[in-house]
Amino acid sequence: LPIFSLAQEAVRVEYEARQEFDRSKVEKTSAKANELFKNSEDKRYYFESLVNNKNSFFKEIERINNTPHVASFGLSPNVSSTIFKDFETKELYERNIMMPKAFVKDSIQTFPWVLTKVEKIILGYKVRKAIYENNNQMVEAWYALDLPFRDGPSRFNGLPGLILEISFKVPFAVDMDSNVIFTAIDLKPYQGIIELPKKSSIVAKDEYQKELDKKTTKLKSITPQGVDRD
């Protein structure tokens, strides 16, 4: 049974993430590619989110894995980024793979959720389904009204309860998408402080974009032999 009350101040939720590849538009794939896709769909990733009504901190966590290593496609870096949200200032700070020592400052995204009355149970909590649709995809989220935190995995937020499950599409290749599913597998009270790591370097989004453009230009100027063009 659920162990939290509406008065709970903060929680730590652990999510298991997996991905499924939509190969409906691909005419044929090799045996090696099919093996890669199967390995990738079998692989699991784990994240934790520390949440209260003011802040949240989302990051990937390492799990001991004794299974033999197999080749697979990883999650998109945009999905597995470390993210801190400040709900009072509506600011979001993301640690990006291109600048791993800094947090890029952005705004918390607003999602035009459509609430439904469809229900199911996750971790003993009654959750309701909400959807968000744009030109590219439909996001399906399940949130718990008994956990009054307006947050969820990655950048998702804004529902009247904590998101315990969500599925959404990310581009993978020209004719293929990956459907990513986050599902809560553990939920506990949290007593600690939720904040950015001490001495974090903060970079404005426009500054980050300029640095990214510089690196992209430099990569384009390198020949296949690894020699800079004049």
mmCIF file with all atom_site columns, all heavy atoms in Angstrom, residues 24 28 55 125 133 138 147-148 153 158 161 178 194 197 200 215:
data_model
loop_
_atom_site.group_PDB
_atom_site.id
_atom_site.type_symbol
_atom_site.label_atom_id
_atom_site.label_alt_id
_atom_site.label_comp_id
_atom_site.label_asym_id
_atom_site.label_entity_id
_atom_site.label_seq_id
_atom_site.pdbx_PDB_ins_code
_atom_site.Cartn_x
_atom_site.Cartn_y
_atom_site.Cartn_z
_atom_site.occupancy
_atom_site.B_iso_or_equiv
_atom_site.pdbx_formal_charge
_atom_site.auth_seq_id
_atom_site.auth_comp_id
_atom_site.auth_asym_id
_atom_site.auth_atom_id
_atom_site.pdbx_PDB_model_num
ATOM 1   N N   . SER A 1 24  ? 8.808  0.029  -38.610 1.00 0.00 ? 24  SER A N   1
ATOM 2   C CA  . SER A 1 24  ? 7.733  -0.184 -39.576 1.00 0.00 ? 24  SER A CA  1
ATOM 3   C C   . SER A 1 24  ? 8.031  0.438  -40.941 1.00 0.00 ? 24  SER A C   1
ATOM 4   O O   . SER A 1 24  ? 7.526  -0.034 -41.967 1.00 0.00 ? 24  SER A O   1
ATOM 5   C CB  . SER A 1 24  ? 6.416  0.376  -39.032 1.00 0.00 ? 24  SER A CB  1
ATOM 6   O OG  . SER A 1 24  ? 6.549  1.776  -38.781 1.00 0.00 ? 24  SER A OG  1
ATOM 7   N N   . LYS A 1 28  ? 14.091 -3.528 -44.785 1.00 0.00 ? 28  LYS A N   1
ATOM 8   C CA  . LYS A 1 28  ? 14.857 -4.713 -44.421 1.00 0.00 ? 28  LYS A CA  1
ATOM 9   C C   . LYS A 1 28  ? 16.057 -4.314 -43.579 1.00 0.00 ? 28  LYS A C   1
ATOM 10  O O   . LYS A 1 28  ? 16.686 -3.288 -43.820 1.00 0.00 ? 28  LYS A O   1
ATOM 11  C CB  . LYS A 1 28  ? 15.325 -5.444 -45.685 1.00 0.00 ? 28  LYS A CB  1
ATOM 12  C CG  . LYS A 1 28  ? 15.978 -6.788 -45.423 1.00 0.00 ? 28  LYS A CG  1
ATOM 13  C CD  . LYS A 1 28  ? 16.348 -7.471 -46.731 1.00 0.00 ? 28  LYS A CD  1
ATOM 14  C CE  . LYS A 1 28  ? 16.996 -8.830 -46.459 1.00 0.00 ? 28  LYS A CE  1
ATOM 15  N NZ  . LYS A 1 28  ? 17.367 -9.520 -47.725 1.00 0.00 ? 28  LYS A NZ  1
ATOM 16  N N   . ASN A 1 55  ? 11.806 22.290 -5.818  1.00 0.00 ? 55  ASN A N   1
ATOM 17  C CA  . ASN A 1 55  ? 12.881 21.873 -6.708  1.00 0.00 ? 55  ASN A CA  1
ATOM 18  C C   . ASN A 1 55  ? 12.784 20.393 -7.043  1.00 0.00 ? 55  ASN A C   1
ATOM 19  O O   . ASN A 1 55  ? 12.107 19.621 -6.357  1.00 0.00 ? 55  ASN A O   1
ATOM 20  C CB  . ASN A 1 55  ? 14.265 22.120 -6.068  1.00 0.00 ? 55  ASN A CB  1
ATOM 21  C CG  . ASN A 1 55  ? 14.458 23.538 -5.601  1.00 0.00 ? 55  ASN A CG  1
ATOM 22  O OD1 . ASN A 1 55  ? 14.323 24.473 -6.379  1.00 0.00 ? 55  ASN A OD1 1
ATOM 23  N ND2 . ASN A 1 55  ? 14.762 23.700 -4.329  1.00 0.00 ? 55  ASN A ND2 1
ATOM 24  N N   . TYR A 1 125 ? -0.211 3.025  -6.078  1.00 0.00 ? 125 TYR A N   1
ATOM 25  C CA  . TYR A 1 125 ? -0.889 4.319  -6.233  1.00 0.00 ? 125 TYR A CA  1
ATOM 26  C C   . TYR A 1 125 ? -1.831 4.290  -7.421  1.00 0.00 ? 125 TYR A C   1
ATOM 27  O O   . TYR A 1 125 ? -1.490 3.765  -8.493  1.00 0.00 ? 125 TYR A O   1
ATOM 28  C CB  . TYR A 1 125 ? 0.132  5.450  -6.437  1.00 0.00 ? 125 TYR A CB  1
ATOM 29  C CG  . TYR A 1 125 ? 0.918  5.778  -5.207  1.00 0.00 ? 125 TYR A CG  1
ATOM 30  C CD1 . TYR A 1 125 ? 2.145  5.161  -4.970  1.00 0.00 ? 125 TYR A CD1 1
ATOM 31  C CD2 . TYR A 1 125 ? 0.447  6.690  -4.272  1.00 0.00 ? 125 TYR A CD2 1
ATOM 32  C CE1 . TYR A 1 125 ? 2.877  5.443  -3.827  1.00 0.00 ? 125 TYR A CE1 1
ATOM 33  C CE2 . TYR A 1 125 ? 1.170  6.981  -3.127  1.00 0.00 ? 125 TYR A CE2 1
ATOM 34  C CZ  . TYR A 1 125 ? 2.379  6.355  -2.909  1.00 0.00 ? 125 TYR A CZ  1
ATOM 35  O OH  . TYR A 1 125 ? 3.103  6.627  -1.779  1.00 0.00 ? 125 TYR A OH  1
ATOM 36  N N   . GLU A 1 133 ? 0.166  16.067 -27.179 1.00 0.00 ? 133 GLU A N   1
ATOM 37  C CA  . GLU A 1 133 ? 0.352  15.744 -28.586 1.00 0.00 ? 133 GLU A CA  1
ATOM 38  C C   . GLU A 1 133 ? 0.827  16.964 -29.353 1.00 0.00 ? 133 GLU A C   1
ATOM 39  O O   . GLU A 1 133 ? 0.358  18.091 -29.138 1.00 0.00 ? 133 GLU A O   1
ATOM 40  C CB  . GLU A 1 133 ? -0.971 15.230 -29.170 1.00 0.00 ? 133 GLU A CB  1
ATOM 41  C CG  . GLU A 1 133 ? -0.846 14.599 -30.528 1.00 0.00 ? 133 GLU A CG  1
ATOM 42  C CD  . GLU A 1 133 ? -2.118 13.865 -30.944 1.00 0.00 ? 133 GLU A CD  1
ATOM 43  O OE1 . GLU A 1 133 ? -3.118 13.955 -30.199 1.00 0.00 ? 133 GLU A OE1 1
ATOM 44  O OE2 . GLU A 1 133 ? -2.101 13.221 -32.002 1.00 0.00 ? 133 GLU A OE2 1
ATOM 45  N N   . MET A 1 138 ? 2.873  11.729 -29.741 1.00 0.00 ? 138 MET A N   1
ATOM 46  C CA  . MET A 1 138 ? 1.971  11.844 -28.600 1.00 0.00 ? 138 MET A CA  1
ATOM 47  C C   . MET A 1 138 ? 2.684  11.285 -27.376 1.00 0.00 ? 138 MET A C   1
ATOM 48  O O   . MET A 1 138 ? 3.181  10.159 -27.403 1.00 0.00 ? 138 MET A O   1
ATOM 49  C CB  . MET A 1 138 ? 0.669  11.089 -28.834 1.00 0.00 ? 138 MET A CB  1
ATOM 50  C CG  . MET A 1 138 ? -0.326 11.267 -27.679 1.00 0.00 ? 138 MET A CG  1
ATOM 51  S SD  . MET A 1 138 ? -1.923 10.446 -27.948 1.00 0.00 ? 138 MET A SD  1
ATOM 52  C CE  . MET A 1 138 ? -1.438 8.739  -27.693 1.00 0.00 ? 138 MET A CE  1
ATOM 53  N N   . LEU A 1 147 ? 0.360  12.051 -4.768  1.00 0.00 ? 147 LEU A N   1
ATOM 54  C CA  . LEU A 1 147 ? 1.732  12.558 -4.663  1.00 0.00 ? 147 LEU A CA  1
ATOM 55  C C   . LEU A 1 147 ? 1.758  13.931 -5.336  1.00 0.00 ? 147 LEU A C   1
ATOM 56  O O   . LEU A 1 147 ? 2.040  14.042 -6.522  1.00 0.00 ? 147 LEU A O   1
ATOM 57  C CB  . LEU A 1 147 ? 2.715  11.594 -5.340  1.00 0.00 ? 147 LEU A CB  1
ATOM 58  C CG  . LEU A 1 147 ? 2.793  10.195 -4.738  1.00 0.00 ? 147 LEU A CG  1
ATOM 59  C CD1 . LEU A 1 147 ? 3.561  9.262  -5.663  1.00 0.00 ? 147 LEU A CD1 1
ATOM 60  C CD2 . LEU A 1 147 ? 3.457  10.237 -3.366  1.00 0.00 ? 147 LEU A CD2 1
ATOM 61  N N   . PRO A 1 148 ? 1.429  14.994 -4.583  1.00 0.00 ? 148 PRO A N   1
ATOM 62  C CA  . PRO A 1 148 ? 1.191  16.316 -5.184  1.00 0.00 ? 148 PRO A CA  1
ATOM 63  C C   . PRO A 1 148 ? 2.466  17.070 -5.567  1.00 0.00 ? 148 PRO A C   1
ATOM 64  O O   . PRO A 1 148 ? 2.716  18.184 -5.106  1.00 0.00 ? 148 PRO A O   1
ATOM 65  C CB  . PRO A 1 148 ? 0.417  17.044 -4.084  1.00 0.00 ? 148 PRO A CB  1
ATOM 66  C CG  . PRO A 1 148 ? 0.957  16.464 -2.825  1.00 0.00 ? 148 PRO A CG  1
ATOM 67  C CD  . PRO A 1 148 ? 1.230  15.005 -3.134  1.00 0.00 ? 148 PRO A CD  1
ATOM 68  N N   . PRO A 1 153 ? 10.045 12.545 -15.004 1.00 0.00 ? 153 PRO A N   1
ATOM 69  C CA  . PRO A 1 153 ? 11.392 12.293 -15.526 1.00 0.00 ? 153 PRO A CA  1
ATOM 70  C C   . PRO A 1 153 ? 11.823 13.334 -16.562 1.00 0.00 ? 153 PRO A C   1
ATOM 71  O O   . PRO A 1 153 ? 10.979 13.956 -17.218 1.00 0.00 ? 153 PRO A O   1
ATOM 72  C CB  . PRO A 1 153 ? 11.248 10.914 -16.185 1.00 0.00 ? 153 PRO A CB  1
ATOM 73  C CG  . PRO A 1 153 ? 10.027 10.315 -15.620 1.00 0.00 ? 153 PRO A CG  1
ATOM 74  C CD  . PRO A 1 153 ? 9.118  11.453 -15.305 1.00 0.00 ? 153 PRO A CD  1
ATOM 75  N N   . GLY A 1 158 ? 4.404  19.494 -14.811 1.00 0.00 ? 158 GLY A N   1
ATOM 76  C CA  . GLY A 1 158 ? 3.198  20.281 -15.005 1.00 0.00 ? 158 GLY A CA  1
ATOM 77  C C   . GLY A 1 158 ? 1.874  19.577 -14.797 1.00 0.00 ? 158 GLY A C   1
ATOM 78  O O   . GLY A 1 158 ? 0.818  20.187 -14.992 1.00 0.00 ? 158 GLY A O   1
ATOM 79  N N   . GLY A 1 161 ? 0.141  15.934 -10.180 1.00 0.00 ? 161 GLY A N   1
ATOM 80  C CA  . GLY A 1 161 ? 0.634  14.817 -9.393  1.00 0.00 ? 161 GLY A CA  1
ATOM 81  C C   . GLY A 1 161 ? 1.911  14.302 -10.015 1.00 0.00 ? 161 GLY A C   1
ATOM 82  O O   . GLY A 1 161 ? 2.197  14.543 -11.200 1.00 0.00 ? 161 GLY A O   1
ATOM 83  N N   . SER A 1 178 ? 12.708 5.992  -31.789 1.00 0.00 ? 178 SER A N   1
ATOM 84  C CA  . SER A 1 178 ? 12.803 5.167  -30.590 1.00 0.00 ? 178 SER A CA  1
ATOM 85  C C   . SER A 1 178 ? 11.749 5.639  -29.602 1.00 0.00 ? 178 SER A C   1
ATOM 86  O O   . SER A 1 178 ? 11.657 6.840  -29.317 1.00 0.00 ? 178 SER A O   1
ATOM 87  C CB  . SER A 1 178 ? 14.203 5.298  -29.977 1.00 0.00 ? 178 SER A CB  1
ATOM 88  O OG  . SER A 1 178 ? 14.241 4.724  -28.686 1.00 0.00 ? 178 SER A OG  1
ATOM 89  N N   . ILE A 1 194 ? 17.537 19.461 -1.726  1.00 0.00 ? 194 ILE A N   1
ATOM 90  C CA  . ILE A 1 194 ? 17.543 19.298 -3.179  1.00 0.00 ? 194 ILE A CA  1
ATOM 91  C C   . ILE A 1 194 ? 18.096 20.583 -3.793  1.00 0.00 ? 194 ILE A C   1
ATOM 92  O O   . ILE A 1 194 ? 17.462 21.640 -3.724  1.00 0.00 ? 194 ILE A O   1
ATOM 93  C CB  . ILE A 1 194 ? 16.131 19.000 -3.715  1.00 0.00 ? 194 ILE A CB  1
ATOM 94  C CG1 . ILE A 1 194 ? 15.565 17.749 -3.032  1.00 0.00 ? 194 ILE A CG1 1
ATOM 95  C CG2 . ILE A 1 194 ? 16.155 18.820 -5.230  1.00 0.00 ? 194 ILE A CG2 1
ATOM 96  C CD1 . ILE A 1 194 ? 14.119 17.459 -3.397  1.00 0.00 ? 194 ILE A CD1 1
ATOM 97  N N   . PRO A 1 197 ? 24.656 20.753 -7.459  1.00 0.00 ? 197 PRO A N   1
ATOM 98  C CA  . PRO A 1 197 ? 25.918 20.427 -6.786  1.00 0.00 ? 197 PRO A CA  1
ATOM 99  C C   . PRO A 1 197 ? 26.712 21.680 -6.446  1.00 0.00 ? 197 PRO A C   1
ATOM 100 O O   . PRO A 1 197 ? 26.663 22.674 -7.171  1.00 0.00 ? 197 PRO A O   1
ATOM 101 C CB  . PRO A 1 197 ? 26.654 19.578 -7.828  1.00 0.00 ? 197 PRO A CB  1
ATOM 102 C CG  . PRO A 1 197 ? 25.570 18.992 -8.667  1.00 0.00 ? 197 PRO A CG  1
ATOM 103 C CD  . PRO A 1 197 ? 24.490 20.036 -8.725  1.00 0.00 ? 197 PRO A CD  1
ATOM 104 N N   . SER A 1 200 ? 28.828 24.490 -8.791  1.00 0.00 ? 200 SER A N   1
ATOM 105 C CA  . SER A 1 200 ? 28.465 24.187 -10.175 1.00 0.00 ? 200 SER A CA  1
ATOM 106 C C   . SER A 1 200 ? 28.714 25.390 -11.065 1.00 0.00 ? 200 SER A C   1
ATOM 107 O O   . SER A 1 200 ? 28.465 26.541 -10.673 1.00 0.00 ? 200 SER A O   1
ATOM 108 C CB  . SER A 1 200 ? 26.987 23.795 -10.270 1.00 0.00 ? 200 SER A CB  1
ATOM 109 O OG  . SER A 1 200 ? 26.747 22.591 -9.587  1.00 0.00 ? 200 SER A OG  1
ATOM 110 N N   . LYS A 1 215 ? 32.308 24.254 -31.869 1.00 0.00 ? 215 LYS A N   1
ATOM 111 C CA  . LYS A 1 215 ? 32.769 22.869 -31.920 1.00 0.00 ? 215 LYS A CA  1
ATOM 112 C C   . LYS A 1 215 ? 32.275 22.181 -33.184 1.00 0.00 ? 215 LYS A C   1
ATOM 113 O O   . LYS A 1 215 ? 32.996 21.398 -33.809 1.00 0.00 ? 215 LYS A O   1
ATOM 114 C CB  . LYS A 1 215 ? 32.294 22.111 -30.679 1.00 0.00 ? 215 LYS A CB  1
ATOM 115 C CG  . LYS A 1 215 ? 32.973 22.563 -29.404 1.00 0.00 ? 215 LYS A CG  1
ATOM 116 C CD  . LYS A 1 215 ? 32.529 21.732 -28.210 1.00 0.00 ? 215 LYS A CD  1
ATOM 117 C CE  . LYS A 1 215 ? 33.260 22.180 -26.939 1.00 0.00 ? 215 LYS A CE  1
ATOM 118 N NZ  . LYS A 1 215 ? 32.872 21.367 -25.763 1.00 0.00 ? 215 LYS A NZ  1
#
